[in-house]
Each structure stands twice: as structure tokens, then as C-alpha cells.
Amino acid sequence: EYKMVYKPEHENANQKGWLFEHRYIMSEKIGRPLKKDEVVHHIDGNTLNNHSDNLDLRKKGGRHKYHGIPVFCPNCGHKII
């Protein structure tokens, strides 16, 4: 189960103006819309806990298709978010 928020002006919103709350929170945290290949992972496994400290930005792909892999800075190699 995931919470939804109504944000029709947001670039990640669907055609009816809704988006998943955890994706909205992560987008606000990083200061940009999420890319299609980015997923937001709930660190504690509780999909209703959308506190920004419980969210981890990852990229889809590889053997981690569902939960993604951590996103690292291409310049310095540090984990982003």
C-alpha cells in the first residue's frame, strides 16, 4: 500500500494529477523531478513511512530490478541520498 498526493503541477504526476507520496518527498528532497529509471526505496520496508530519512533514491536495473541499486555521484563516487 502506498499513499498518493494530488500535485497536478508536479512533473512526476500522472494525467489526473496524482503521484506517490514517497516519490514526491524524494523529488522535493533532491530538488528535481525523478527520472523514469529512478526508484524510491523504503529503508525500513514500511511503505507508509514516507519520512525523508526512511527513503533511499536508487536506479532500476540489474538483479535489483524491484528495489534498484543505490545512486552514486559520477564525479566523487559518494552515495547520493
Side-chain angles (χ1 to χ4, degrees), residues 31-50:
R32 64 166 174 80
L34 298 181
K35 298 174 184 175
K36 289 184 179 186
D37 68 342
E38 292 176 329
V39 294
V40 179
H41 173 68
H42 290 85
I43 296 168
D44 70 0
N46 178 359
T47 60
L48 297 177
N49 179 3
N50 292 326

Side-chain angles (χ1 to χ4, degrees), residues 59-74:
K59 272 192 173 299
K60 291 180 186 177
R63 62 186 177 93
H64 304 282
K65 286 182 184 176
Y66 181 71
H67 288 110
I69 55 176
V71 177
F72 294 92
C73 174

Side-chain angles (χ1 to χ4, degrees), residues 6-40:
Y6 184 68
K7 299 286 181 182
E9 70 286 350
H10 198 278
E11 287 185 47
N12 292 131
N14 66 20
Q15 292 179 350
K16 294 183 179 182
W18 292 91
L19 71 151
F20 290 113
E21 183 180 59
H22 61 286
R23 291 183 61 81
Y24 173 72
I25 291 169
M26 181 58 70
S27 174
E28 292 296 301
K29 185 174 180 177
I30 64 175
R32 64 166 174 80
L34 298 181
K35 298 174 184 175
K36 289 184 179 186
D37 68 342
E38 292 176 329
V39 294
V40 179

